[in-house]
Amino acid sequence: MEKLRIMSVFGTRPEAIKMAPLVKELASRDEIESLCCVTAQHREMLDSVMEVFDLKADCDLDIMTPRQTLSTITSKCLLGMDDAIEQLKPDMILVHGDTSTTFAGALSAFYHKVPVGHVEAGLRTYDKYSPFPEEMNRKLVTAIADLYFCPTKNNRENLLKEGVTEGLFITGNTVIDALKTTVRKDYRFTTELLNELDYSRKVVLVTCHRRENYGQPMENIMTALRDIALQNEDCELVYPVHLSPVVRENAQKFLAGTPRVHLIDPLSADEMHNLMARCYMVMTDSGGLQEEAPALGKPVLVMRKETERPEAVAAGTVKLCGVEYDDVLRMGNELLRSREAYDAMAHAVNPYGDGHACARIADAILWHFGCRSERPADFNA
């Protein structure tokens, strides 16, 4: 029997972190030829993840351009995928989450009549402009996909309510699988500042980069972060600043020169995971960190108006603090000053996985193609 050709498509740093362990798990199966196509929607940050996980692309579309738009990303990805599919002839294409690469990859697969598996399916805010463009990307991929790999029961329920009844699997989140390979007690950072930090102090890991926070929300957040640092002498804020010119301009304007605020360049996946493991708490507008930090026992304040990850809020590992100055400042100060509030979040149970999501996805693919007699059991948080 010929091996199944399963092609994983991704292009951003967060996608790569979550897909890397899956690419490797698929490669470990005798029945599967694991193929990897990267769009390089984020070039430098993607390359660092590929290096950390020792991955090599079978096809690299290299689409990134300065100040790229959603239209250029999507159109270049679609055109590049034509050649990738013709060249690699996959039996199934796997896309992840909700980026422009995700949508274009799924749409191209549909045009070529190649089945699609959606990793991290079923996340919803039900506001098509927040997060933008992610909410609409994942809804469009839902309409195209054949298999749906849902991290949690809640994600599956979202899809059932939308009329998706077949091909649904609850797998846990593959990012928990990734953390198992990257976090080490003896880890030494290549960013020397991170080796020199006193982690007995309250080190706060910060990220802020989302498009919907551009403008006044980002100014509110940056100002609140500045004042949190000024008002809490026992804390240090470490902010790996996204490469977006808009984000970097705001970080320089509002945070540069503030005592105990460290603006550094973006970190590789292993550096980020190990910093997260050593920090006190996380303040972010990212999606992935809402899953990663709770797995390491770190409370997360989400600087957004809503989250597509309500399981973490329900479990108590994550709290929404919004984008208003007063709320970000108040909730940040509370976690830094109240041990009771901190412990309630740090000791909550992470609902996102047990480190075996990739194995469940591989089993589900093999079952779908008739290579397994039994349907794999769902993850139960």
Side-chain angles (χ1 to χ4, degrees), residues 86-104:
E86 291 293 331
Q87 174 190 335
L88 298 176
K89 296 182 169 48
D91 296 299
M92 173 170 275
I93 287 174
L94 301 180
V95 295
H96 179 279
D98 47 28
T99 69
S100 297
T101 285
T102 309
F103 168 54

Side-chain angles (χ1 to χ4, degrees), residues 1 4 31 363 365-373:
M1 175 181 171
L4 293 169
E31 306 96 329
D363 288 343
I365 291 170
L366 290 171
W367 177 79
H368 174 77
F369 282 100
C371 302
R372 291 281 189 278
S373 57

Side-chain angles (χ1 to χ4, degrees), residues 10-20 41-50 53 99 207 240 242 266-273 276 286 289 292:
F10 50 90
T12 69
R13 177 180 181 273
E15 285 176 299
I17 291 169
K18 292 182 174 184
M19 289 295 275
Q41 181 178 331
H42 294 169
R43 179 80 267 174
E44 290 176 41
M45 292 189 284
L46 171 74
D47 289 346
S48 75
V49 178
M50 298 290 281
F53 287 94
T99 69
T207 72
H242 195 277
L267 299 173
S268 63
D270 55 339
E271 298 235 310
M272 193 69 160
H273 288 170
M276 209 181 311
S286 166
L289 266 64
E292 295 165 349

